[in-house]
């Protein structure tokens, strides 16, 4: 079963982690996948964090979600969009963010 | 009254009276309305705006083919936007500008939202969008297709959100070309689906290649990828230049013999490079600068592109694989930013010329209204530029003009203070006259403070001009003030000239289609609007109040449903109107909240800035609550960008973090405050590893999850020469914090940590086993009670507090930093 999460970064305008930086997907027995919101400067911290992660995405997500405080960062799980594959679910979720016109 | 006057008035009539005034905008005053009633440039422009929008509206109903209709809509919307800009320049109040712009976007969103995905894809392809079938994957019922936004003529091609949509489509095409599948689609599927859409223009610098040349170009790219090293010392070449050159060589190859095979090879190359440069490391930032300088020198990047774009944006321009539409958008963005900088420069000059020795130079209230207007425009332009200045390649130059994003309120506050001081010497009647000319009705009854604040609100957005006007009006009439636009909105509309369209857009501005209430977009919108609309988000770190006081407050109902997240969070208004975030502590049953609140209180006691966090129950749920701070930005992850003051702050933060056992202070958890300070914002992991942690540069329990504390990053950067020139780690910077801890009486410290100890043991939190073991060892018993475990926690905390000086002297000495000895020598 696919699980899809949005990585949120702090937005100076709101004072909260309301800037979507990326969508991450995990599924049992599969390597996870990440799709970044292009040109999202506020997501640099998440990029650095992901690049330095040495455990599985599933394990990392659990830790990030546990530690996310909603102010500096957040991890929001979405209902996975229907898709034949995990990548498709992730990209469909990212499309919802892109369509908002204010990533 | 001329025709323009009628049009302008008509627009006012239909402006939604109930809509709140967007943050940062002034309310519409009687004077504003009166000014628009007569003939004038603003009224004329609004008349032209109405006509253009009516034309656009008619086109959306004309039944033409989408391509024709879209063309007419886009042109008419362009005209309407231009006329609206003219009206704004001629003095149309910002609130009305915003309302009219909303009418444009409502119309375009409704029109484009009515088209089906195939129509949107065809339209987008005709506008130069590459691979339009690769966005809007599985758009949910009621959801908006990304191409609706990309095609929306209400927003320019330079809009970062439009750039992102094209970039994502191109990235997905590259992934397919590299053999991946997206949503069950393969490269062949997409090529078949897009066969009728035609291909975009070839990238600049195309060259005629044989199949063998293409194979050689692929091999060259492969070699460059192997040689690419984005990590390590910034002095060594990462190979980025060679990588971009190799990719560009392949991306610009033209080889008709290969057909779709060439686009597949180019797409795969792009995907590989996308992956390699996903994270712009400090080393890559430096290498982008070098490539940009070279490209600027040879003329392939113009000056705005070389100065005003971020490194990620510049890298996209340097890569020939970047889609044409994205490239055009980036160029437009650079140009737009140059215009912003030019405007700010002019406003800066105008503003400074009004000052004398850094203070208000006016001899009397004559010219005060103009001064206020100039100051307002200047600070608004400054804020716009500052929002991107720090990410621009020429950040030093731009920030020198705009200031940092987190420091915008400082000069504003200075001016307001100076103005209040200056205004004391002015006659109240004169100040009232100025306020009246600026739109304050009933000013004869206004107090000096109200008049001053009303004038200052023109530049100082922490003052609410609308609220002041309402208070003054209420005093004058002893009745509740009416909504600001209500009197005119309720007035009978004057006859208007015949419209060319059946449904004038300004008479019935189409509300933008709402996303499904359950969707991420809807929840996100609700939260962001609640936050942005709220005027009372603290502009800087609020002072810490006694926990008992916050404990007695009655927080209002949740302002917005939470997005979800690791811990469900809700927003609440405090009695003073400020916005706070509540996080229920579901897993810790209140223990985590107590730990975070205690850490925040300790930070406050020892002078390390932190956002105040309090333990509270709301709706019967234990949790923590904290005020929100806007305008602050995260600390950069690049140690080279840290100043000496910031590194000193990091050293002091380390002392406090070690005292409370917080090992999660990565740059994402540190903000630069509006007044320029540095402030950790998340101590959710405080005490978690107590009893099993070490004061060791190699100890970071969250490193597997990509989180290395900022102080360890600073030490490593200092040891490897990665801090900026002249910036060092100064152990002696820790002294004030160590001393502050030493001065905290043990009894007070134990009292602060009491709830952490008792709740932690009761909930069996992470540190309990280590503390139980320590208690057994210290007490010489094989079993210990919960009370003894709690006592062990307090004993450890006090011991750690009192041993900070020795611990850090040893720690810094071990790292070989000069000045470590001072820690033990200086009292």
């Amino acid at each position: 079963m696919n699980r899809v999460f949005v990585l949120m970064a702090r937005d100076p305008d709101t004072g909260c982690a309301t800037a979507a930086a990326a969508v991450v997907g995990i599924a049992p027995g599969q390597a996870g996948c990440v799709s970044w919101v292009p040109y999202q400067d506020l997501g640099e911290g998440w990029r650095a964090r992901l690049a330095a992660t040495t455990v599985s995405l599933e394990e990392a997500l659990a830790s990030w979600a546990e530690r996310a405080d909603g102010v500096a960062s957040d991890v929001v799980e979405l209902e996975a969009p229907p898709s034949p594959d995990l990548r498709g679910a992730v990209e469909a979720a990212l499309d919802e963010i892109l369509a908002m016109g204010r990533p | 009254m001329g025709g323009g006057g009628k049009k302008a008035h008509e627009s006012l009539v239909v402006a939604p009276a109930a809509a709140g005034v967007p943050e940062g905008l002034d309310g519409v005053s009687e004077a504003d309305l009166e000014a628009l009633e007569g003939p004038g440039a603003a009224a004329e422009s609004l008349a032209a705006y109405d006509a253009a929008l009516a034309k656009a509206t008619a086109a959306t109903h004309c039944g033409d083919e989408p391509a024709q209709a879209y063309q007419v809509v886009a042109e008419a919307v362009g005209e309407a936007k231009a006329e609206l800009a003219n009206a704004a320049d001629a003095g149309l109040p910002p609130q009305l500008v915003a309302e009219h712009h909303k009418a444009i976007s409502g119309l375009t969103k409704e029109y484009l939202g009515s088209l089906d995905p195939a129509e949107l894809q065809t339209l987008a392809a005709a506008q130069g969008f590459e691979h339009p079938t690769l966005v809007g994957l599985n758009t949910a019922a009621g959801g908006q297709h990304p191409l609706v936004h990309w095609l929306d003529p209400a927003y320019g091609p330079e809009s970062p959100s439009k750039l992102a949509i094209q970039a994502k489509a191109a990235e997905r095409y590259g992934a397919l070309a590299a053999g991946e599948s997206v949503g069950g689609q393969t490269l062949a599927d997409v090529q078949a689906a897009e066969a009728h859409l035609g291909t975009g223009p070839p990238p600049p610098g195309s060259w005629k290649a044989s199949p063998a040349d293409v194979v050689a170009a692929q091999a060259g790219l492969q070699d460059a990828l192997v040689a690419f090293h984005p990590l390590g010392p910034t002095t060594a070449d990462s190979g980025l230049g060679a990588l971009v050159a190799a990719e560009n060589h392949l991306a610009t190859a033209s080889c008709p013999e290969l057909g779709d095979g060439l686009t597949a090879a180019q797409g795969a190359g792009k995907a590989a490079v996308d992956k390699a440069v996903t994270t712009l490391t400090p080393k890559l930032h430096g290498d982008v600068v070098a490539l940009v300088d070279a490209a600027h020198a040879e003329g392939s990047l113009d000056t705005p592109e070389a100065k005003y774009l971020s490194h990620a944006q510049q890298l996209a321009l340097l890569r020939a694989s970047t889609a044409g539409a994205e490239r055009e958008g980036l160029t437009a963005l650079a140009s737009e930013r140059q215009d912003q900088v030019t405007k700010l420069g002019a406003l800066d000059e105008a503003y400074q010329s009004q000052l004398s020795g850094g203070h208000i130079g006016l001899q009397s209230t004559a010219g005060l209204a103009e001064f206020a207007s100039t100051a307002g425009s200047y600070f608004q332009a400054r804020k716009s530029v500052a929002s991107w200045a720090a990410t621009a390649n020429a950040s030093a130059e731009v920030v020198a003009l705009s200031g940092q994003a987190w420091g915008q309120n400082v000069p504003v506050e200075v001016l307001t203070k100076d103005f209040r001081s200056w205004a004391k010497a002015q006659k109240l009647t004169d100040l009232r006259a100025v306020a009246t000319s600026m739109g304050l009705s009933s000013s004869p009854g206004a107090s000096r403070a109200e008049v001053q604040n009303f004038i200052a609100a023109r530049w100082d957005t922490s003052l609410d001009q609308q609220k002041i006007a309402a208070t003054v009006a209420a005093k004058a009439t002893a009745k509740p003030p009416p909504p600001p636009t209500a009197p005119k909105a309720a007035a009978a509309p004057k006859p208007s000239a015949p419209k060319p369209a059946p449904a004038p857009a300004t008479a019935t501005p189409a509300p933008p289609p709402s996303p499904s209430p359950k969707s991420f977009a809807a929840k996100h919108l609700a939260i962001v609007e609640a936050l942005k609309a709220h005027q009372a988000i603290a502009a800087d770190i609020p002072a810490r109040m006694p926990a008992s006081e916050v404990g007695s407050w009655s927080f209002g109902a949740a302002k917005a449903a939470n997005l979800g997240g690791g811990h469900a969070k809700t927003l609440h208004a405090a009695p003073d109107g400020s916005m706070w975030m509540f996080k229920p502590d579901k897993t810790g049953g209140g223990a985590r909240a107590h730990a975070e609140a205690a850490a925040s209180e300790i930070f406050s006691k020892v002078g390390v800035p932190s956002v105040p966090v309090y333990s509270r129950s709301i709706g019967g749920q234990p949790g923590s609550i904290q005020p929100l701070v806007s305008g602050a930005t995260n600390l950069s992850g690049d140690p080279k960008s840290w100043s000496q003051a910031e590194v000193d702050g990091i050293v002091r933060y380390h002392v406090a973090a070690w005292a409370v056992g917080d090992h999660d202070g990565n740059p994402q958890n540190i903000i630069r405050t509006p007044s320029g300070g540095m402030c950790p914002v998340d101590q959710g992991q405080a005490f978690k590893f107590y009893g099993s942690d070490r004061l060791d540069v190699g100890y970071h329990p969250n490193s597997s999850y990509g989180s290395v504390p900022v102080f360890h990053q600073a030490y490593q950067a200092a040891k490897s020469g990665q801090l900026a020139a002249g910036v060092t780690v100064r152990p002696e910077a820790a002294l004030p914090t160590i001393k502050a801890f030493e001065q905290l009486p043990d009894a007070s410290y134990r009292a602060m940590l009491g709830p952490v100890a008792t709740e932690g043991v009761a909930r069996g939190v992470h540190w309990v086993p280590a503390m139980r073991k320590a208690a057994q060892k210290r007490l010489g018993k094989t079993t210990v009670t919960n009370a003894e475990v709690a006592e062990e926690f307090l004993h450890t905390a006090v011991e750690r507090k009192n041993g900070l000086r020795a611990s850090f002297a040893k720690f810094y000495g071990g790292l070989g930093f000069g000045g470590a000895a001072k820690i033990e020598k200086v009292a």
Side-chain angles (χ1 to χ4, degrees):
Chain A
M1 190 182 123
N2 297 335
R3 293 182 70 194
V4 168
F5 303 81
V6 185
L7 305 182
M8 309 288 288
R10 188 174 190 284
D11 183 344
D13 284 348
T14 63
C16 287
T18 54
V23 176
V24 181
I26 53 173
Q30 291 185 43
C33 68
V34 183
S35 185
W36 295 98
V37 176
Y39 301 121
Q40 173 55 283
D41 293 328
L42 299 173
E44 280 209 357
W46 274 115
R47 286 181 189 257
R49 199 185 256 199
L50 239 85
T53 296
T54 55
V55 298
S56 71
L57 265 178
E58 186 173 4
E59 200 182 327
L61 277 166
S63 170
W64 296 333
E66 201 271 327
R67 286 151 54 209
D69 71 339
V71 174
S73 66
D74 211 349
V75 178
V76 178
E77 182 164 11
L78 305 183
E79 191 177 319
S83 172
D85 55 31
L86 180 61
R87 175 77 188 259
V90 166
E91 298 294 355
L94 193 89
D95 274 349
E96 189 185 345
I97 292 164
L98 296 179
M100 287 156 62
R102 49 180 180 283
Chain B
M1 180 183 293
K6 288 176 188 171
K7 289 281 192 173
H9 205 136
E10 179 185 88
S11 297
L12 297 172
V13 169
V14 296
V21 181
E23 189 180 5
L25 301 181
D26 299 335
V28 180
S29 66
E30 289 291 315
D32 291 329
L33 301 180
E34 292 305 320
L36 288 170
E37 280 179 353
E44 295 298 332
S45 294
L46 274 185
Y49 159 91
D50 273 354
L53 204 54
K55 190 171 150 195
T57 306
T60 64
H61 295 114
C62 67
D64 282 350
E65 283 297 305
Q68 291 164 291
Y70 176 77
Q71 202 57 39
V72 176
V73 170
E75 282 172 13
V77 163
E79 287 168 29
K81 281 168 61 185
E83 293 299 344
L84 190 55
N86 291 340
D89 287 344
L92 185 71
Q95 182 190 358
L96 290 183
V97 174
E99 290 297 346
H100 282 76
H101 193 271
K102 208 183 281 177
I104 298 177
S105 61
L107 172 72
T108 52
K109 233 178 189 181
E110 186 184 34
Y111 162 59
L112 291 164
S114 71
L115 303 179
D116 66 35
E119 289 171 325
L120 291 170
Q121 288 161 8
T122 304
L123 278 180
Q127 299 300 313
F129 192 96
E130 294 179 28
H131 310 302
T133 66
L134 284 173
V135 289
L137 309 171
N138 292 335
T139 299
Q144 180 175 291
H145 196 290
L147 290 177
V148 167
H149 179 63
W150 191 85
L151 284 162
D152 194 338
Y155 304 96
E158 76 284 358
S159 155
S161 46
K162 285 192 173 186
L163 294 174
I165 294 169
Q166 172 62 91
K168 191 49 72 174
E171 180 190 312
R172 288 172 185 163
Y173 187 81
L176 291 174
E180 297 176 33
S181 79
V182 177
Q185 293 189 87
T186 63
L187 179 64
D189 297 334
V190 172
Q191 285 175 335
E194 296 188 342
H196 70 289
L197 297 176
T199 54
S206 286
W207 58 284
K208 178 82 179 75
S210 68
D213 290 335
V214 173
V215 171
Q218 283 180 288
L221 177 56
Q222 197 53 41
D223 290 345
L225 282 163
V226 170
F228 181 62
H229 292 290
L231 299 172
T234 49
T235 45
D237 179 21
S238 66
L240 181 67
L243 184 64
V244 170
E247 189 200 13
N248 287 351
H249 189 55
L250 176 61
T252 52
S254 169
C255 182
E257 299 96 305
L258 282 178
D260 284 346
L262 177 64
T263 50
Q266 290 168 332
K270 175 177 165 50
V273 177
D274 282 347
K275 203 170 174 182
V277 299
T278 291
T279 304
L280 281 186
T281 60
K283 188 173 175 175
L284 289 183
H285 277 286
D287 288 352
V288 171
V289 172
L291 292 178
V292 165
D293 287 346
H296 185 222
E298 71 176 30
S300 53
L301 285 187
D302 64 19
T303 300
E305 291 163 346
K307 289 175 75 171
Y308 303 125
L309 296 181
S310 70
H311 293 155
Q313 291 160 341
Q314 291 177 324
L315 182 56
L317 274 183
L318 290 166
R319 294 174 61 191
S321 63
T322 298
E326 193 180 339
R327 185 178 294 283
E328 283 169 21
L330 288 166
T331 299
L333 178 64
S335 174
E336 156 75 17
R337 287 180 170 182
Q338 185 181 42
D339 291 347
Q340 284 183 32
V341 169
T342 305
K343 185 179 170 188
L344 175 58
L347 282 166
D348 188 18
E349 202 174 317
Y351 173 67
Q352 300 300 339
S353 73
Q354 298 185 131
L355 301 179
S356 172
H359 297 283
I360 296 172
L362 298 173
Q363 299 303 311
S364 69
T365 54
L368 178 57
E370 190 192 342
F371 173 87
S373 174
T374 304
S377 301
Y378 166 64
F379 285 120
Q380 196 175 8
R382 203 172 181 268
K383 194 175 176 186
S384 297
V385 172
S387 69
W388 54 264
T391 63
N393 189 29
S395 60
E397 179 189 321
V398 184
V399 168
L401 186 63
S402 70
Q404 290 282 11
W406 67 83
Q408 290 301 302
N409 66 325
V410 174
V412 172
E413 285 171 0
V414 167
L415 175 62
T416 303
K417 199 175 166 190
D418 190 44
F419 168 67
R420 286 186 177 132
S421 172
W422 174 88
K424 277 182 193 165
Q426 308 303 317
K427 286 182 184 167
L428 179 56
T429 49
D430 292 347
L431 290 169
R432 280 178 177 153
V434 173
T436 302
S437 76
M438 291 171 65
L440 180 65
S441 54
S442 313
S443 72
S447 69
R448 178 176 282 274
E450 285 164 342
V451 169
Q452 286 178 187
N453 284 345
F454 183 86
I455 295 168
R458 191 53 69 99
W459 65 79
D460 188 339
T461 54
S462 72
L463 299 167
D464 188 340
Q465 204 173 47
Q466 198 184 13
K467 204 180 273 179
I468 299 164
T471 306
V472 171
K475 274 202 306 189
T477 61
K479 286 178 185 173
T485 56
K488 288 289 175 182
K494 297 183 180 180
S496 61
K499 300 261 181 192
T506 50
T508 52
S514 302
S516 161
K518 283 186 181 172
S519 69
F520 174 81
K523 290 179 184 172
H524 187 268
L525 182 65
I527 286 183
V528 170
E529 289 198 343
L531 286 164
K532 283 192 172 176
H534 208 277
Q535 304 260 334
I537 297 174
D540 211 331
I541 308 300
R544 188 177 179 87
M545 286 170 288
S548 56
E549 190 176 323
V550 177
S552 69
W553 282 3
S554 171
F555 284 92
K559 288 279 178 189
N562 72 81
L563 270 177
H567 306 274
K569 294 155 285 276
T570 46
L571 303 170
H572 299 263
D576 67 356
S578 58
M579 183 72 97
W580 292 54
M581 176 185 276
F582 174 70
K583 294 181 285 180
D585 184 2
K586 286 179 182 165
T587 51
R592 179 182 160 129
H594 279 297
E596 193 170 1
S600 155
E601 186 179 5
I602 289 167
F603 275 40
S604 156
K605 296 271 184 200
V606 300
V608 173
S610 78
V611 176
V613 180
Y614 305 88
S615 175
R616 263 294 302 248
S617 282
I618 286 188
Q621 280 193 307
S624 65
I625 194 157
Q626 63 188 97
L628 296 176
V629 183
S630 70
T633 55
N634 281 91
L635 183 70
S636 160
D638 178 7
K640 208 138 206 150
S641 72
W642 299 341
S643 66
Q644 184 63 57
E646 284 170 336
V647 172
D648 287 350
I650 287 169
V651 165
R652 285 190 284 275
Y653 166 45
H654 188 192
V655 175
W658 167 246
V660 302
D662 182 5
H663 301 275
D664 198 24
N666 64 77
Q668 235 179 336
N669 287 344
I670 313 286
I671 57 172
R672 284 163 154 159
T673 68
S675 56
M678 221 187 56
C679 172
V681 289
D682 181 4
Q683 282 92 50
Q685 286 216 317
F687 308 105
K688 182 174 179 179
F689 300 101
Y690 238 42
S692 58
D693 55 354
R694 303 189 313 274
L695 180 57
D696 181 338
V697 78
Y699 178 79
H700 17 84
N702 298 308
S703 65
S704 304
Y705 315 112
S707 179
V708 175
V710 69
F711 29 82
H712 288 169
Q713 291 185 29
Y715 305 146
Q716 283 161 355
K719 298 305 283 181
S720 58
Q722 298 301 304
L723 290 177
V727 176
T728 58
V729 168
R730 301 185 319 116
E732 60 267 39
L735 275 166
T737 310
I738 291 173
K739 202 171 167 186
F741 268 107
E742 289 169 346
Q743 287 173 343
L744 267 178
D746 290 356
S748 303
Y749 202 61
R750 291 175 74 92
M752 278 188 268
L753 292 175
V756 184
T758 50
E759 285 296 321
V761 173
R763 303 288 171 185
V765 299
H766 197 274
W767 52 258
V768 168
M771 284 298 144
R772 190 176 296 280
K773 205 171 161 187
Q776 287 166 342
K777 188 177 173 190
R778 194 167 65 84
L779 300 173
K781 295 160 74 173
T782 52
T783 57
V784 288
T785 65
N786 280 352
E788 286 169 330
V789 176
E791 171 54 31
E792 187 65 27
F793 173 88
L794 295 173
H795 173 81
T796 303
V798 170
E799 195 175 49
R800 185 173 286 195
K801 170 180 84 75
N802 294 334
L804 288 172
R805 188 179 291 268
S807 301
F808 275 90
K810 187 177 170 195
F811 173 74
Y812 286 124
L815 288 174
F817 288 128
K822 287 184 192 167
I823 291 182
E824 289 204 285
K825 286 179 187 163
V826 180

